[in-house]
Amino acid sequence: MTRMTLINAYLMSSSGSIIYLIAPVLIGSAMDSLAFDSEQAGLLLAAYFLGYTLITTSAVFWLRHVNMRSAAWLSSFVFIAALLTGATQSAAALIYVGLFFAGVGAGMLYGISITIIGQSDAPDKHFGIALAAQLVLGSALLFAGPAIIGPQFGFAGILIACAFYVAILSVTTQWTPTSISRAEQSASNRLSSGSGTTVPVSLVALLCWFTGYSGVYAFVERIGVAGGLSGQQIGLILSLTIISGVMGAMGAAWVGNRWGQMTPHWLGMAGTVVTIGLLSSEPGLVRYALAIIALTLSLNFWLAYMLSSVTRVDISGRYAVLTTAALGGGAMVGPAISGLVLQQSNMLQVLLVSLVLIFIGFFGITIALRRFAAMPLNSH
């Protein structure tokens, strides 16, 4: 695998993750410029990630049979066109449709990048680098969104800026491989006979885990507003904590397996508890900044290990693309659940529901890893 192939995978993952990265900005802009309530704003991401999840779920059946480079070009075109279409609409239903098709394009870009990275010689390392690239490259939109673009151009301006971002990063698409190698049939047989439900358990754990995190992350901008922070303050904090996010991702790339399989998950769970505690009770400027630092640090550190844990128990490598579906499903359901809870209760209840979901994911991935470790060596 060439260096340019990996660089292209990093950039495709950055394109495919940009909407999730700026989700707080997107939701805040919709509530301010379109007068959406929290439930309507949460459904924006639900529509986007519905398309994201459906296309990546189906990709396990057809991705290996198509020209992957052509699929990447088509995905970029669909993503950009759908974002621009959504930016020109005023009716909520039409905006949802535009974001649905944007999710289709983004999901395939991210799914292809995960598939490429999963076949590299050091997936843990390259997952960490890809997550760091997503944060560094997306930091400009994360800052400019609430500070400049949103106040001046509203929700439409945010979508147009995202379309330009995707277009710029698509310049390396020509280095996408045309195909991916097929896994050995014997590996598939070992998966069927040896690991049983380990892969499904790990995927469900990833789904629950990301549902909880997405429910928190989507509304951190609103938590800052409730604490009396200005859009400029929130944008500055979100952009500066890119540093802590990169530290988390690159920390995972550096640590690798040095601490074993379980310790990083325990650290991630501890960081999450700290984050939820700091975000409760409408935090002020300093507490909010510390909370976002803890959130981005633990999320990006832990995500690299969640992804690598799923790929570790997936002996055949066939189901790597389903990690994207699990992430998309969590990102789709999490904000919608949080929006509904917020409509009926308060932000503290949103945080508690999210924490429970994250713990379920933590519990599930530890079960999957223990089952895999207990398998006979010849089935690994």
Side-chain angles (χ1 to χ4, degrees), residues 23-358:
V25 177
L26 196 70
I27 286 179
S29 176
M31 294 178 73
D32 290 337
S33 64
L34 300 179
F36 278 15
D37 59 30
S38 60
E39 183 177 352
Q40 289 176 307
L43 289 175
L44 285 171
L45 292 183
Y48 173 83
F49 283 108
L50 176 61
Y52 191 101
T53 303
L54 289 177
I55 193 65
T56 51
T57 301
S58 68
V60 71
F61 302 106
W62 55 263
L63 182 59
R64 293 173 180 267
H65 306 292
V66 302
N67 185 308
M68 198 156 58
R69 185 181 302 158
S70 298
W73 279 118
L74 178 61
S75 299
S76 294
F77 174 79
V78 171
F79 193 7
I80 294 168
L83 287 172
L84 294 176
T85 300
T88 62
Q89 306 302 316
S90 57
L94 294 178
I95 295 174
Y96 293 148
V97 171
L99 286 177
F100 172 86
F101 284 103
V104 169
M108 276 315 305
L109 285 176
Y110 202 82
I112 292 171
S113 72
I114 290 292
T115 302
I116 294 171
I117 293 172
Q119 293 196 336
S120 66
D121 57 348
D124 289 343
K125 171 185 175 182
H126 296 300
F127 276 133
I129 295 173
L131 291 171
Q134 294 167 23
L135 294 168
V136 172
L137 296 175
S139 61
L141 280 179
L142 197 58
F143 170 73
I148 301 171
I149 302 173
Q152 294 190 28
F153 304 103
F155 178 78
I158 300 293
L159 292 187
I160 292 171
C162 288
F164 276 106
Y165 177 87
V166 175
I168 292 170
L169 296 191
S170 68
V171 296
T172 61
T173 304
Q174 60 182 315
W175 282 284
T176 305
T178 57
S179 63
I180 53 179
S181 61
R182 295 176 179 273
E184 294 291 338
Q185 183 62 40
S186 60
S188 296
N189 291 338
R190 290 197 302 269
L191 175 67
S192 299
S193 62
S195 62
T197 59
T198 303
V199 173
V201 168
S202 68
L203 288 169
V204 171
L206 179 62
L207 171 64
C208 292
W209 180 86
F210 209 61
T211 297
Y213 255 116
S214 297
V216 175
Y217 186 71
F219 285 90
V220 293
E221 192 264 356
R222 291 291 96 182
I223 294 175
V225 171
L229 277 65
S230 67
Q232 287 78 10
Q233 288 175 318
I234 294 171
L236 181 61
I237 290 171
L238 291 176
S239 62
L240 290 179
T241 53
I242 292 297
I243 299 172
S244 60
V246 171
M247 289 174 59
M250 296 307 293
W254 179 77
V255 170
N257 287 324
R258 297 180 186 181
W259 296 347
Q261 296 183 14
M262 301 305 303
T263 300
H265 292 289
W266 282 101
L267 290 175
M269 190 69 238
T272 301
V273 172
V274 171
T275 298
I276 298 300
L278 290 171
L279 284 174
S280 61
S281 304
E282 298 182 358
L285 178 62
V286 174
R287 188 173 168 183
Y288 182 78
L290 291 174
I292 302 305
I293 289 172
L295 175 66
T296 53
L297 182 65
S298 59
L299 171 59
N300 288 281
F301 177 82
W302 201 359
L303 177 56
Y305 283 102
M306 290 295 289
L307 292 174
S308 65
S309 294
V310 175
T311 57
R312 178 177 291 112
V313 302
D314 176 17
I315 302 170
S316 71
R318 176 183 177 186
Y319 302 98
V321 70
L322 289 183
T323 61
T324 309
L327 294 175
M332 173 182 66
V333 176
I337 291 176
S338 292
L340 290 172
V341 172
L342 188 58
Q343 284 287 97
Q344 303 297 323
S345 185
N346 54 44
M347 190 60 71
L348 179 60
Q349 295 302 313
V350 170
L351 295 173
L352 291 176
V353 169
S354 296
L355 181 61
V356 169
L357 288 167
I358 292 169

